[in-house]
Amino acid sequence: MTDAAITTEIPCMSFRPGALWPGNHGVHINAHGGGVLFHEGVYYWYGEHKIQGEAGNKAHLGVSVYSSRDLYNWRDDGIALAVSDDPACEIVRGCVLERPKVLFNPRTEKFVMWFHLEPKGAGYSGARSGVAIAETPIGPFNLVNSFRPNAGVWPMNVAESEKHPLSADEFARINAMELNGGPRPYYPKHALFRRDFAAGQMARDMTLFVDDDGRAYHIYASEENGTLHISQLSDDFLGSSGKFVRIFPGRFHEAPAMMKWRGRYFLITSDCTGWAPNAARISVAGNIFGPWEELGNPCLGTGEQIAHSFGAQSTFILPVHGKPNAFIFMADRWNPQNAVDGRYVWLPLEFHHGAPMIRWRDEWDLSAFEK
Ligand code: GAL
């Protein structure tokens, strides 16, 4: 029996970051790279369903959904979005389907899921966004589309002089020139969004965020992971509105998680080192389209904890319903050798000097927010 299969029937009354976290069936929760939707008194936790071993880094079943009223005890509601057995389907079994996030759209009254999709057999070269829709929060979700976002649209925050597409030849020339330059040789500083103008922008690690005015945003690692894009969604949340910005070009932020507190937007991200943990970063803006400013590392603790973000990588910031200053930082402690045994690191955000920060706790409960 693997660790992940150890069962217990005792209800949870606290969070134990990094420990096994049994759902109602007594099996470790299987919702990695996840996000949480609060809807009509219930929290829904969506995440990547993983299987044992390295094979678990690919999608074999799809996106899981769990539900809870107290955030400690989660009921397994099954597979919200199932992969397909049809080789022609974009989400065929064996594709890479990561970091799913779900929103409720009040105009259409549908639940809308976005995720990072890598078509089967093509490594991470696809860099596509998948969109699926459902009538109920637990699904079944049906795939609507998959694409690279913002095809044919220029970012709002680039100079007019940069708004011209690149041919493959021009791109190859610039790429070769810049190979001699920066620390990450595959990053041509000014060319990637221009190269991808016509076919759409690369979109890997991602999150969704809804602002107070009901506008939703897709935040994704683009341009070979070198640059984040913040892209406003259309009214039905099924596509982009045509407004997007590039932020932190060449800084390689991944694993974005966004929140808003006292009128300011905060973005917690990681560096770009695959499954291995690295130092988290926090950034702030007064306007979601920027300018954005990096503040540094939000983790508090020992040198090791700060350098590797408690062994975890951000996935979502969960606002606790009804508590204006209560936010839970959600992160994954990946286990790529045995993907199903990835652990969840949920920690309360503390506010210091006007910004959220994260401190390790072996065990905590929601009363942490009363203090
Ligand atoms: C990480 C990313 C994960 C996954 C992994 C694959 O950087 O955050 O979601 O894509 O790379 O190596």
Side-chain angles (χ1 to χ4, degrees):
M1 185 189 282
T2 66
D3 271 355
I6 292 171
T7 61
T8 164
E9 306 257 314
I10 304 164
C12 298
M13 304 296 285
S14 63
F15 302 103
R16 291 194 301 131
L20 286 171
W21 191 347
N24 61 315
H25 297 312
V27 178
H28 183 52
I29 290 170
N30 197 335
H32 309 265
V36 173
L37 169 72
F38 180 78
H39 185 73
E40 295 183 348
V42 180
Y43 294 94
Y44 296 92
W45 176 358
Y46 303 87
E48 303 159 26
H49 176 278
K50 292 187 182 273
I51 64 167
Q52 285 186 13
E54 284 183 41
N57 299 314
K58 304 264 165 57
H60 294 266
L61 291 188
V63 175
S64 317
V65 55
Y66 290 74
S67 57
S68 173
R69 289 182 182 273
D70 65 8
L71 292 169
Y72 308 121
N73 296 284
W74 292 87
R75 185 180 76 189
D76 182 355
D77 287 317
I79 297 297
L81 172 68
V83 295
S84 165
D85 281 319
D86 175 1
C89 177
E90 293 144 286
I91 55 167
V92 64
R93 195 184 306 275
C95 68
V96 169
L97 198 169
E98 292 181 341
R99 296 183 180 270
K101 308 287 180 294
V102 173
L103 301 178
F104 175 68
N105 186 299
R107 290 184 186 84
T108 62
E109 301 197 335
K110 308 278 189 220
F111 296 85
V112 180
M113 178 187 293
W114 283 64
F115 54 91
H116 166 202
L117 173 65
E118 295 293 346
K120 185 176 177 181
Y124 275 82
S125 62
R128 297 173 75 79
S129 300
V131 179
I133 195 166
E135 302 289 335
T136 76
I138 61 170
F141 282 78
N142 291 307
L143 186 70
V144 177
N145 204 355
S146 103
F147 49 86
R148 283 190 170 186
N150 290 310
V153 182
W154 290 113
M156 291 157 67
N157 62 342
V158 303
E160 286 303 313
S161 59
E162 291 200 77
K163 294 183 182 172
H164 53 98
L166 286 184
S167 69
D169 284 354
E170 284 172 297
F171 177 74
R173 197 160 31 81
I174 292 179
N175 203 15
M177 268 166 18
E178 294 192 357
L179 277 180
N180 304 322
R184 313 233 194 187
Y186 59 87
Y187 180 62
K189 280 199 254 348
H190 301 293
L192 283 174
F193 74 94
R194 291 162 55 199
R195 179 196 67 182
D196 294 337
F197 172 77
Q201 300 294 328
M202 300 178 82
R204 293 200 181 108
D205 281 10
M206 57 143 283
T207 194
L208 299 178
F209 173 77
V210 186
D211 208 342
D212 306 329
D213 62 2
R215 279 275 171 207
Y217 297 84
H218 175 212
I219 299 121
Y220 55 91
S222 193
E223 305 182 30
E224 298 289 359
N225 297 338
T227 302
L228 283 174
H229 290 182
I230 299 181
S231 173
Q232 191 180 66
L233 298 189
S234 53
D235 288 349
D236 59 9
F237 297 174
L238 298 179
S240 308
S241 75
K243 286 176 145 183
F244 80 107
V245 290
R246 310 168 66 226
I247 67 165
F248 304 128
R251 284 286 295 143
F252 287 81
H253 288 260
E254 276 200 330
M258 190 181 275
M259 61 179 279
K260 190 177 188 182
W261 182 68
R262 298 192 177 166
R264 299 208 296 169
Y265 301 85
F266 293 94
L267 195 52
I268 298 182
T269 51
S270 70
D271 193 358
C272 182
T273 57
W275 300 117
N278 55 52
R281 302 154 172 190
I282 186 158
S283 308
V284 66
N287 181 318
I288 195 162
F289 286 134
W292 280 87
E293 183 194 352
E294 271 191 55
L295 298 177
N297 189 323
C299 299
L300 300 169
T302 65
E304 167 57 26
Q305 288 173 329
I306 294 170
H308 295 109
S309 312
F310 318 108
Q313 187 184 30
S314 41
T315 183
F316 197 71
I317 300 172
L318 162 53
V320 179
H321 183 72
K323 297 186 181 212
N325 299 318
F327 297 85
I328 299 175
F329 172 72
M330 291 171 53
D332 293 280
R333 194 176 278 172
W334 303 111
N335 184 347
Q337 277 72 47
N338 186 21
V340 70
D341 195 26
R343 304 298 176 89
Y344 310 105
V345 171
W346 287 26
L347 290 164
L349 289 176
E350 303 175 10
F351 292 90
H352 297 284
H353 312 293
M357 305 200 84
I358 316 160
R359 191 190 306 275
W360 178 259
R361 298 171 191 234
D362 291 334
E363 186 167 9
W364 64 284
D365 60 40
L366 294 172
S367 70
F369 294 117
E370 316 297 337
K371 287 162 194 156

